[in-house]
């Protein structure tokens, strides 16, 4: 009983502290939004963890501001058959295509849109330049500090001198591993990808697979390849990934298939994550944003056994999600207040502590001791963002280049010679890049 009372007291102090920290900032949002009370905003975001975090923050914002927020979510891609994750009804359109359709038809179904940072270049003509809104002192949070965001994340929101969004998520590829199995085998974390493959082979003992591998013919294969390639995919306006390092990186991936689940080449990253969460594999390589799902207290079979490591070599693929405003929205100023509330330092701290949301984008949050206590691997995320590799910020990358490379990788995983597959992809890339320069 004494332990329970002490725990309750700690929780009361913690949430009481949160209330004190937020009161001053809440006062700004309450006053700034007074003329917009009764406004109804629509927000489109990614299904799953991102949606859950936004629902909580949007509900808080609504109570403070009097501005109603309808949150709509859609999977990144249509949900695959066999997935056990209940995030949304089956969709015929991807998140990207739903947003693109709204922009094309200028229906302004969504005032606020959370987009993959890869899409900023493509969608910039449809998003508000937020620099114009930051100049309006009556709706600009004086404590917001746009320069507190990690430079890589902030730069992903820009095109030239224009700012088309605010970072909501800083994401990176990491290694999720079963600490219990590593300890049992006396295994240390790998420093190179060659060591990584050796560990995967040695730890693969039935009924546990060495790795849960997302080998379906999807764009995520490029991320696994790029983790190992650790260099820009384009150099001097030409594809560069079909060099010796690229061939070596692809050969490394091919070797892993022997120690993965039988249907690895048919399963995407969501399904691979679910296998790892179910305790079927020792290792899973994926986005840090999967952490809340992997450790979900109701669905995870390994929640107390999972640890996170930096990818071997220390140069993972990094990405992020950006909160922007539809240029056709009739509620731009109210939307601006909302995206500031979603991305301010207090909101990010709350996400990290109360929701175990590890996708930190602010420098000050990385230094927060309470965040570090709750997410002991936070320094791994910071190192990833500091040293990681970004994918090309070109419209053609998402629309075509990524699919071309992932198809070549998948073909090699099925048995094609690595050099042949990469040469074919590089040739197609060069044709598209050449057309883009005209």
């Amino acid at each position: 009983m004494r332990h329970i009372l002490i725990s309750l007291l700690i929780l009361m102090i913690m949430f009481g502290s949160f209330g004190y920290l937020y009161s001053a900032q809440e006062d700004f949002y309450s006053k700034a939004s007074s003329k917009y009370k009764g406004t109804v905003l629509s927000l489109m975001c990614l299904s799953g963890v991102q949606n859950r975090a936004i629902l909580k923050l949007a509900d808080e914002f609504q109570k403070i501001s009097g501005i109603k927020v309808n949150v709509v979510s859609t999977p990144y891609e249509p949900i695959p058959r066999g997935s056990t994750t209940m995030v949304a009804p089956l969709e015929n359109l991807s998140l990207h295509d739903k947003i693109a359709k709204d922009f094309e038809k200028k229906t302004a179904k969504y005032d606020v849109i959370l987009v993959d940072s890869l899409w900023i270049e493509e969608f910039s003509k449809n998003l508000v330049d937020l620099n114009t809104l930051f100049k309006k002192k009556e709706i600009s949070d004086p404590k917001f500090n746009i320069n507190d965001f990690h430079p890589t994340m902030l730069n992903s929101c820009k095109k030239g001198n224009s700012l088309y969004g605010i970072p909501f998520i800083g994401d990176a590829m990491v290694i999720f591993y079963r600490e219990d199995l590593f300890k049992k085998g006396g295994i240390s974390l790998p420093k190179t990808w060659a060591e990584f493959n050796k560990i995967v082979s040695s730890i693969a003992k039935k009924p546990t697979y060495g790795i849960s591998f997302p080998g379906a013919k999807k764009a995520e294969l490029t991320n696994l390849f790029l983790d190992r390639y650790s260099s820009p995919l384009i150099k001097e306006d030409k594809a560069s990934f079909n060099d010796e390092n690229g061939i070596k990186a692809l050969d490394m991936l091919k070797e892993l298939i022997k120690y993965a689940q039988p249907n690895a080449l048919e399963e995407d990253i969501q399904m691979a994550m679910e296998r790892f969460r179910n305790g079927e594999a020792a290792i899973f390589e994926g986005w840090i944003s999967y952490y809340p799902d992997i450790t979900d207290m109701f669905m995870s079979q390994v929640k107390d056994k999972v640890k996170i490591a930096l990818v071997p070599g220390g140069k993972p693929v990094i990405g992020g999600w950006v909160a922007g405003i539809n240029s056709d929205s009739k509620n731009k100023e109210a939307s601006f207040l909302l995206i500031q509330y979603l991305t301010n330092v207090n909101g990010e701290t709350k996400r990290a502590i109360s929701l175990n949301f590890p996708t930190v984008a602010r420098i000050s949050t990385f230094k927060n001791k309470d965040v570090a206590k709750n997410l002991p691997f936070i320094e791994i995320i910071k190192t990833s963002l500091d040293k990681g590799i970004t994918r090309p910020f070109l419209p053609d990358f998402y629309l075509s280049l990524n699919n071309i490379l992932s198809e070549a990788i998948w073909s090699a995983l099925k048995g094609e010679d690595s050099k042949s597959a990469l040469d074919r992809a590089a040739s197609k890339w060069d044709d598209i890049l050449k057309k883009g320069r005209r």
Side-chain angles (χ1 to χ4, degrees), residues 113-150:
I113 303 167
L114 267 80
V115 300
D116 189 323
S117 56
L118 286 175
W119 307 338
I120 287 292
E121 178 83 16
E122 177 190 357
F123 290 154
S124 60
K125 62 183 179 295
N126 306 109
L127 297 170
V128 174
D129 181 355
L130 300 181
N131 288 324
T132 60
L133 295 173
F134 272 115
K135 291 176 182 177
K136 297 184 178 184
K137 292 184 178 180
E138 68 274 15
I139 57 168
S140 184
D141 182 349
K143 296 184 179 179
F144 190 78
N145 189 7
I146 192 70
N147 293 316
D148 183 38
F149 288 99
H150 191 284

Side-chain angles (χ1 to χ4, degrees), residues 127-371:
L127 297 170
V128 174
D129 181 355
L130 300 181
N131 288 324
T132 60
L133 295 173
F134 272 115
K135 291 176 182 177
K136 297 184 178 184
K137 292 184 178 180
E138 68 274 15
I139 57 168
S140 184
D141 182 349
K143 296 184 179 179
F144 190 78
N145 189 7
I146 192 70
N147 293 316
D148 183 38
F149 288 99
H150 191 284
T152 303
M153 296 297 99
L154 188 58
N155 288 337
S156 71
C157 304
K158 296 178 178 179
K159 182 180 178 183
N161 294 321
S162 297
L163 179 69
Y164 291 108
I166 301 174
F168 181 72
I169 282 177
D171 216 345
M173 294 286 282
V174 296
I175 304 299
F176 294 91
Y177 68 97
R178 289 276 300 278
E179 184 185 31
D180 58 326
L181 298 180
F182 271 59
K183 282 185 176 180
K184 184 178 179 181
I187 300 170
S188 300
L189 292 174
K191 295 180 180 179
T192 67
W193 286 109
E195 290 178 7
F196 179 84
N197 279 24
K198 287 181 181 179
I199 288 172
V200 171
S201 66
S202 67
I203 208 168
K205 295 178 181 178
K206 291 182 179 181
T208 306
Y209 305 114
I211 188 168
S212 186
F213 190 89
K217 195 194 308 184
K218 295 200 176 226
E220 286 290 350
L221 285 178
T222 297
N223 298 331
L224 298 179
F225 172 79
L226 189 50
D227 269 352
R228 288 153 181 80
Y229 185 56
S230 299
S231 293
L233 296 172
I234 299 172
K235 294 176 183 176
E236 298 180 355
D237 295 327
K238 295 190 71 176
S240 58
F241 51 78
N242 59 329
D243 59 8
E244 282 188 26
N245 288 335
I247 295 167
K248 182 179 179 181
L250 186 46
D251 285 341
M252 288 278 186
L253 277 181
K254 291 169 75 170
E255 186 181 347
L256 291 175
I257 297 300
K258 294 185 288 187
Y259 312 108
Q261 69 274 25
N263 298 322
L265 297 182
E266 300 170 15
E267 297 185 358
D268 68 6
I269 194 166
Q270 180 71 29
M271 298 173 79
M273 180 279 291
E274 290 169 5
R275 279 191 181 273
F276 179 76
R277 184 175 64 187
N278 293 338
E280 297 177 40
I283 295 171
F284 168 66
E285 183 181 345
W287 296 105
I288 187 65
S289 52
Y290 277 114
Y291 175 74
D293 278 334
I294 287 174
T295 58
D296 183 275
M297 65 185 298
F298 298 109
M299 300 188 73
S300 178
Q301 304 298 312
V302 296
K303 55 183 177 291
D304 298 321
K305 303 172 184 177
V306 175
K307 292 292 182 181
I308 294 169
L310 189 66
V311 300
K315 290 185 177 181
V317 178
I318 57 176
W321 287 81
V322 176
I325 299 173
N326 191 334
S327 60
D328 292 316
S329 169
K330 296 179 181 178
N331 305 301
K332 294 182 180 66
E333 293 187 346
S335 296
F336 184 57
L337 287 168
L338 172 60
I339 66 172
Q340 286 178 96
Y341 190 84
L342 293 176
T343 59
N344 68 37
V345 66
N346 292 332
E348 184 167 274
T349 301
K350 181 181 284 189
R351 278 184 275 143
I353 294 175
S354 63
L355 298 177
N356 286 331
F357 208 68
T359 47
V360 172
R362 284 182 173 268
I363 296 168
S364 59
T365 312
F366 285 114
K367 297 177 181 178
N368 187 299
K369 292 181 180 179
D370 292 326
V371 171

